Amino acid sequence: MTRLVIVSNRVSPPTGDGQANQGGLAVALSSALRVTNGIWFGWSGNETEKFTGQVHFSRNEGVTTATIDLEPQDVEEYYNGFANRTLWPLFHDRTDLAEYERTFAGGYARVNQRFAETLVPLITPDDVLWIHDYHLIPLGSELRKQGVKNRTGFFLHTPWPVARLLTSLPSHQEFVESLFAYDLLGFQCQTWLDSFLYYVQDQFPHAEVKDNVIRIGDRTVQVIACPIGIDATEFIESATSAEADESRHAILRSLEGRTLIMGVDRLDYSKGLEQRFHGYSRLLQDHPEFQEKVTFLQIAPPSREEVGSYQDIRRELDALSGHINGEFATAHWVPLRYVNRGYDRIALSGMYRAARAALVTPLRDGMNLVAKEFVAAQDPEDPGVLILSRFAGAAEQLKDALLVNPFSPEELADALQQALRMPVEERKTRWRALMDSVETEDVHWWLRRFLDLLNDNGADRLVPPPPSNDVEPANNTDKSVQPAASS
Ligand code: ADP
Ligand code: F6P
């Protein structure tokens, strides 16, 4: 029996609440693990004074997780350091924020070795291994060094930067070469895959690249663009549940008849929140007819708080939100509600459904699942408008959104104006096209596509057949956002 072994920095086992609070990715991975009796391996999120290599097993709703604790120095150099101070900014085109410290690179290599050493005893020869994201790029090569011959795939959840930026990373060739240890490499969209292939051809002249296959030395590596999706069926169910409806009503009541514009992001400099706030401010400035008619709710829970650049962006947004409210607020209206906390997924889906427009405007994003969640949560008879950055991986699929340059406050203000005035027929037409993509290329489609390629021996399927898609979005008759404002 082929067993799936998933490895990622963070492990999200089922939450025991009927999956209500588990993201689509975790639900999909859990279901594949359940079917193959597999293991999900990663960091426990805990620190231990001295690394012991002890593996903590746990089993929840048929999913086995195996986690290890890391030393404080590991967390500092690997997670806060190389992953989030070096690679994250570099992969999101922020070389100005990237810190190139040898200790970070050393910690990253050490933790990847530690992952490999503790994982090897858990692997059996028939297992298929699937490693995730920028934290673990060299893990495949570490596993090969320790004799692992299993089929092994890697999926990158972030963008792949252009060669000109990537070459600023010390030892970039060695770093990229470690990816040739995998049998299959997955990228979120064609643009990131093209950047990767360009780098490979530029830096490894002996590599032969043809038909999405790289041949280099004795290695053959297949590459694909395989955009991750959400569990659309599950999200529709969430958004139309009684609990979500309560959340929708609560937010609508608080708006007192105003139209809701919404944003939901981790508080990360890649999400373009500063530029977004400027875009909204520009709308209020240039189109005063919208003042007191709209409210912008930006939900942004803090993320990676140990890292200086995240502390900086938080301070900047605190000041900017205060400034915008100071400039435009009246005794009866706060134009920008800026909220630094997370919400339950169901509550969030109800809020998405209440919004007339969503601003999903990252400066760079591997995919962006919020965009897809917003689409799935809409009322088909009165859908909101998705304003989406051209620089998110999702823009390759969601072409019927209002696609914008997130760096331009004017373009953001124009798109907001267009969304707020858009007639319902156009909103429905655009939404239908978006929803077709979100439903067809969902997380189950993504999982099957990747794993069917990875598991090329064809002996067993690693994923269950597609779930039946028989949940209809419930119609909602009392959506009470006011009609689009007019000049
Ligand atoms: P990233 O992986 O960079 O954070 P994505 O948009 O791809 O960006 O995924 C973010 C996920 O986190 C989405 O599933 C979204 O619903 C969830 N999320 C983001 N902000 C919040 C929040 N404030 N409360 C709850 N969930 C959130
Ligand atoms: O999308 C990239 C990513 O690193 C995911 O892997 C992760 O779940 C998310 O961002 C949140 O980041 P962190 O695990 O650092 O809190």
Side-chain angles (χ1 to χ4, degrees), residues 264 266 271 299 301 341-343 345 348 368-370 373:
V264 175
R266 272 184 312 104
K271 301 293 182 183
I299 295 177
R341 51 161 284 190
Y343 281 87
R345 283 173 66 72
L348 208 55
N368 199 293
L369 293 178
V370 167
E373 291 171 359

Side-chain angles (χ1 to χ4, degrees), residues 10 79 84 88 133-135 157-158 266 303-304:
R10 284 188 197 270
Y79 175 71
N84 288 323
W88 181 271
D133 229 352
Y134 62 103
H135 314 87
H157 291 256
T158 68
R266 272 184 312 104
S303 170
R304 304 174 190 164

Side-chain angles (χ1 to χ4, degrees), residues 459-471:
D460 300 298
R461 283 185 72 89
L462 282 167
V463 267
S468 66
N469 230 1
D470 53 5
V471 181

Side-chain angles (χ1 to χ4, degrees), residues 336-353:
L336 172 58
R337 296 184 190 174
Y338 174 51
V339 181
N340 289 137
R341 51 161 284 190
Y343 281 87
D344 171 272
R345 283 173 66 72
I346 297 187
L348 208 55
S349 67
M351 292 191 234
Y352 286 144
R353 199 172 169 91

